[in-house]
Amino acid sequence: MYRIRRVEEEIIRLYPSDKIKSPIHLSIGQESISVGVCHCLRPDDVAVGTYRGHALYLAKGGDLKLMMAELYGKVDGCARGKAGSMHLVDMSVNMVGTSAIVATGIPQAVGFAQALKMKKSDAIVVAFFGEGSTDEGVFHESMNYAALKNLPILFICENNSYAIYSSVETRMPHVNICERAQTYNIPATRIEGGDTIAVTEESKRAVNEIRAGGGPQFLECMTYRWRDHVGPNEDRQLKYRPNGELDEWIANDEVRKFAGMIDERTLNTINKAVEDEISSAIDFAEQSSFPENEEVSLHVYRD
Amino acid sequence: MFTETEGGRSLTYAQALYEGVSQEMDADDSVFVCGLGVDDPIGIYGTTLDLHKKFGSDRSFDTPLAEDCITGMITGAAMAGMRPIHVHQRMDFLLLCMNQLINMSAKTSYITSGAASVPLVVRSVIGRSWGQGAQHSQALHSFFMHVPGLKVVAPTTPHDAKGCLIAAIRDNNPVIFVEHRMLYKNQGIVPEASYEVPFGKARILKKGKDITIVAISHMVVESLRAAHLLEEVGISAEVIDPISLSPLDIDTIAGSAGETTRLLVVDNGWLSCGASAEIITQIIERPEGNRLTAVKRSGFLQTPCPTTRVLENIFYPDSKSIALDAYRLVKGDTAEDWVPVIDQAPEISEFKGPF
């Protein structure tokens, strides 16, 4: 969690240099959800995420060097620079994609689960999405289908209460997202406060039940985006969120909470390892080449 | 009509599609079929009939009315190593799938730099017949031709229907497979063994020297009839079926047009920004384009499709309108000294609904 936080703080530091010439959607404040869930997954379990995907990519085991090179638009990036921050992928760890169109990854995750079931695998799929996704029709179609087919999939709704600057209250006549899943006969639990331990415990239970053939489950994880929807900055000046809301979440920072549980010597060891890894990932991205011109036409089709 | 007799027997277009999918399901456990009605007693005009009994209901299954989700589902399943086929009783329903097809399926290979692929087939039924009207008849192949990452095929003969379907299933990219309802009962010689009709290879169905007619889907059938009518007045028309629209075999088409110097492109769709515009543009960008002396497009009227038969007959090109267009391209714009007499195409006049 601390590693992910520090990676994104470095991205904020680097962003004004204009070396990352594409949009970034920071996970800062929301790391505990990806970390808690992915802690309960096996390497062969599959994760599908969103354009706010740095935390998930790293928590699922995606390679930091490849991510950094991708953000720099370099040929050694996880998608050879052709995808960027919004489309992180590392098939080697079953981090199979992040989409920039809200909710579109959900049915793909369902399809992965369908394939795993057909192949009689006991791996499972986790679909990560924001609460904005639950506004979309395809969310409901996908809940219905996953439940109908009893598929091995865990739905993780990261509820940060805002779709860009639109609060959930302005978008829903009745704000109860768990009920939306329960309508399709999918067990749903809400976890308050971005609580890493609670997310981990609930995920462990859900993953075990899903792996045992129990069908889809749904966790609504309350969380908060500290920064602007897109870009590196805070957005207090826009005043679309009540005063104090962000401060309260910052005061209950899960990263700091965990740091307080660890002795100083261990903290220093972790700190050094994280800083070394980040600086070597940045060096890797800096030194990597930009793609050759021919690259633009590669991979449009597969042989 | 084109035939390839070796190892073949006469099958209908629908039987050829059934045989193609059945053989692929037999050969490859990763192939599955889904879509509204695929396992019902009609089985998509027989093309999927009882596949669920032969291969199990987890490999051929009905779906909820959720085209967006099912298209995403097959995309994910394809990325996970399956080879799904999603069948739509009307191509109009693909408009409910556009986000997944264009934003996701078509782009997955590119934005993963080839780490993931999406080997899926979307079968979609188009075409006139018995008053299908504005929302049950549309041919939207040009929408998909616009998008890098997708392949689009529209086979006309039973032979090509089977071979194209097998090639589509084996292809590692998303393929939009377009089938005209009025072709289902057409007979043709189809080899029994499994075979592929490769994409990007047009077929010259009739040789000719005075004019090249490039026709798409059911318009191939009407254009062959038109070519027969044109023989009455001594005009020899070459008829080409592109089969695959993306990739497009422009070499064969431009080669023919360069020889005959006259070109008529008959689309089974609207003209505006359509396949016909694309084909003509690609020819005139080549050296053969300089040899063209007369060019025309034919296709649907630029209106929604009317339901009543009398207006339907105006909306769609037929062998008579195609023959007249070709005649005027050869003889000059104002030539009015010949009016071909036709009976309505039997597949249209004999068709009874309600499906």
Side-chain angles (χ1 to χ4, degrees):
Chain A
M1 197 152 52
Y2 172 72
R3 168 176 174 255
I4 295 168
R5 173 71 55 89
R6 282 292 303 127
V7 167
E8 290 204 320
E9 285 172 349
E10 280 303 286
I11 291 170
I12 292 170
R13 186 183 64 79
L14 291 164
Y15 212 65
S17 71
D18 204 29
K19 287 179 174 169
I20 301 171
K21 292 182 192 298
S22 64
I24 48 157
H25 301 76
L26 297 177
S27 308
I28 289 181
Q30 302 191 192
E31 304 93 337
S32 62
I33 315 303
S34 294
V35 168
V37 174
C38 290
H39 183 72
C40 309
L41 300 180
R42 299 192 319 218
D44 62 337
D45 292 333
V46 173
V48 177
T50 75
Y51 52 86
R52 196 176 306 287
H54 298 167
L56 174 60
Y57 173 91
L58 293 171
K60 186 65 179 79
D63 189 308
L64 175 61
K65 283 184 173 153
L66 303 188
M67 172 179 146
M68 230 11 128
E70 187 64 29
L71 265 56
Y72 271 66
K74 298 292 184 72
V75 74
D76 294 317
C78 58
R80 304 179 70 79
K82 295 197 289 190
S85 161
M86 294 197 283
H87 307 295
L88 297 176
V89 62
D90 189 341
M91 297 299 280
S92 70
V93 294
N94 288 300
M95 175 64 230
V96 303
T98 55
S99 169
I101 314 278
V102 169
T104 56
I106 301 173
Q108 292 202 334
V110 167
F112 262 90
Q114 171 98 48
L116 292 175
K117 190 171 181 186
M118 283 176 156
K119 293 174 179 173
K120 303 198 187 328
S121 162
D122 73 340
I124 73 155
V125 180
V126 187
F128 290 81
F129 49 89
E131 93 292 340
S133 283
T134 73
D135 293 357
E136 297 278 358
V138 77
F139 163 81
H140 296 269
E141 293 180 9
S142 301
M143 294 290 110
N144 181 63
Y145 187 83
L148 180 73
K149 299 284 181 183
N150 200 45
L151 297 179
I153 182 165
L154 175 59
F155 295 105
I156 298 292
C157 177
E158 297 187 51
N159 185 349
N160 68 13
S161 301
Y162 294 90
I164 309 185
Y165 309 134
S166 306
S167 80
V168 72
E169 288 83 10
T170 64
R171 306 187 333 256
M172 299 180 190
H174 172 66
V175 184
N176 188 326
I177 289 170
C178 282
E179 276 183 10
R180 294 183 174 202
Q182 286 156 351
T183 295
Y184 302 102
N185 211 24
I186 296 175
T189 306
R190 174 170 160 136
I191 302 159
E192 302 291 347
D195 184 332
T196 316
I197 302 290
V199 169
T200 307
E201 284 175 353
E202 280 299 320
S203 298
K204 195 172 289 173
R205 175 196 57 73
V207 165
N208 287 339
E209 289 172 15
I210 295 166
R211 214 184 291 289
Q217 298 222 19
F218 188 100
L219 298 180
E220 179 189 8
C221 303
M222 301 309 293
T223 187
Y224 205 78
R225 158 168 61 79
W226 289 12
R227 297 280 164 155
D228 203 338
H229 161 71
V230 60
N233 301 319
E234 288 197 345
D235 61 5
R236 291 174 191 266
Q237 78 286 359
L238 296 174
K239 298 188 179 1
Y240 67 97
R241 305 196 273 202
N243 277 335
E245 202 176 73
L246 173 58
D247 295 329
E248 196 178 326
W249 280 90
I250 291 175
N252 292 304
D253 181 14
E254 285 289 300
V255 174
R256 207 175 58 244
K257 187 169 95 184
F258 270 66
M261 299 176 189
I262 300 169
D263 67 79
E264 197 174 328
R265 199 173 150 193
T266 311
L267 263 182
N268 288 338
T269 310
I270 292 172
N271 188 34
K272 180 166 189 323
V274 165
E275 297 309 319
D276 286 351
E277 188 195 5
I278 291 173
S279 73
S280 88
I282 292 170
D283 286 347
F284 178 79
E286 296 268 359
Q287 282 160 24
S288 172
S289 308
F290 285 108
E292 300 291 332
N293 289 350
E294 299 81 61
E295 186 78 34
V296 72
S297 302
L298 298 181
H299 309 114
V300 179
Y301 292 96
R302 279 287 296 261
D303 293 336
Chain B
M1 224 46 209
F2 167 81
T3 55
E4 190 170 288
T5 51
E6 200 177 329
R9 68 262 111 93
S10 185
L11 292 185
T12 66
Y13 189 94
Q15 288 167 333
L17 286 175
Y18 172 83
E19 189 167 89
V21 69
S22 183
Q23 287 178 346
E24 282 305 285
M25 290 178 82
D26 231 356
D28 183 350
D29 286 345
S30 67
V31 179
F32 72 89
V33 178
C34 61
L36 279 172
V38 299
D39 58 357
D40 74 13
I42 295 170
I44 318 289
Y45 306 91
T47 62
T48 61
L49 191 63
D50 292 340
L51 286 173
H52 62 294
K53 292 181 184 165
K54 193 171 175 186
F55 297 103
S57 57
D58 58 339
R59 293 188 61 201
S60 177
F61 55 90
D62 202 11
T63 65
L65 289 79
E67 287 82 356
D68 191 359
C69 163
I70 301 303
T71 310
M73 183 277 287
I74 59 167
T75 302
M79 289 171 72
M82 306 303 285
R83 291 188 177 272
I85 304 165
H86 188 193
V87 189
H88 296 268
Q89 296 180 8
R90 298 289 185 271
M91 194 176 202
D92 312 69
F93 307 156
L94 260 61
L95 294 171
L96 296 163
C97 311
M98 294 301 256
N99 178 50
Q100 283 295 334
L101 287 174
I102 293 171
N103 276 324
M104 306 296 273
S105 316
K107 298 187 177 38
T108 294
S109 172
Y110 198 77
I111 65 174
T112 64
S113 275
S117 62
V118 183
L120 62 80
V121 182
V122 176
R123 281 184 51 199
S124 56
V125 180
I126 60 166
R128 69 179 295 178
S129 70
W130 224 69
Q132 293 293 329
Q135 296 176 336
H136 267 39
S137 62
Q138 294 172 91
L140 305 173
H141 45 277
S142 68
F143 286 23
F144 299 99
M145 290 169 68
H146 191 63
V147 180
L150 297 178
K151 295 186 178 182
V152 184
V153 296
T156 309
T157 66
H159 173 276
D160 292 342
K162 177 178 171 180
C164 267
L165 183 57
I166 290 172
I169 294 167
R170 294 177 185 172
D171 200 286
N172 286 325
N173 298 281
V175 179
I176 309 296
F177 195 94
V178 185
E179 310 161 17
H180 197 292
R181 239 186 334 272
M182 293 296 97
L183 297 172
Y184 280 135
K185 289 183 178 168
N186 280 7
Q187 296 272 342
I189 301 297
V190 178
E192 195 161 346
S194 179
Y195 62 94
E196 291 184 44
V197 169
F199 299 165
K201 187 85 192 76
R203 198 182 290 292
I204 299 173
L205 291 170
K206 181 185 170 299
K207 294 291 284 182
K209 60 181 176 43
D210 297 323
I211 183 167
T212 298
I213 302 178
V214 180
I216 293 170
S217 188
H218 182 248
M219 286 302 139
V220 173
V221 177
E222 294 285 30
S223 294
L224 287 166
R225 290 182 181 127
H228 185 67
L229 292 168
L230 288 163
E231 285 173 1
E232 285 177 18
V233 285
I235 293 174
S236 157
E238 183 141 299
V239 179
I240 300 180
D241 179 357
I243 304 175
S244 150
L245 297 167
S246 180
L248 183 68
D249 178 9
I250 200 64
D251 291 346
T252 297
I253 294 169
S256 169
E259 291 292 315
T260 64
T261 74
R262 301 182 189 95
L263 174 67
L264 174 63
V265 182
V266 191
D267 195 3
N268 194 95
W270 288 297
L271 300 186
S272 178
C273 305
S276 58
E278 179 61 29
I279 290 168
I280 290 168
T281 306
Q282 287 199 30
I283 296 170
I284 63 175
E285 284 175 339
R286 296 164 54 111
E288 293 92 336
N290 296 328
R291 300 209 286 272
L292 292 179
T293 57
V295 177
K296 187 172 171 58
R297 291 180 287 169
S298 170
F300 297 173
L301 288 188
Q302 196 70 21
T303 70
C305 177
T307 298
T308 182
R309 176 63 60 89
V310 292
L311 297 182
E312 235 187 6
N313 288 343
I314 301 168
F315 177 81
Y316 291 108
D318 61 11
S319 57
K320 179 179 172 180
S321 71
I322 296 165
L324 268 177
D325 282 341
Y327 182 76
R328 287 173 187 153
L329 283 175
V330 176
K331 301 282 186 183
D333 279 348
T334 54
E336 286 177 358
D337 52 336
W338 177 60
V339 179
V341 179
I342 63 160
D343 295 323
Q344 185 158 49
E347 67 274 16
I348 295 170
S349 62
E350 290 167 12
F351 189 90
K352 298 288 176 280
F355 250 99

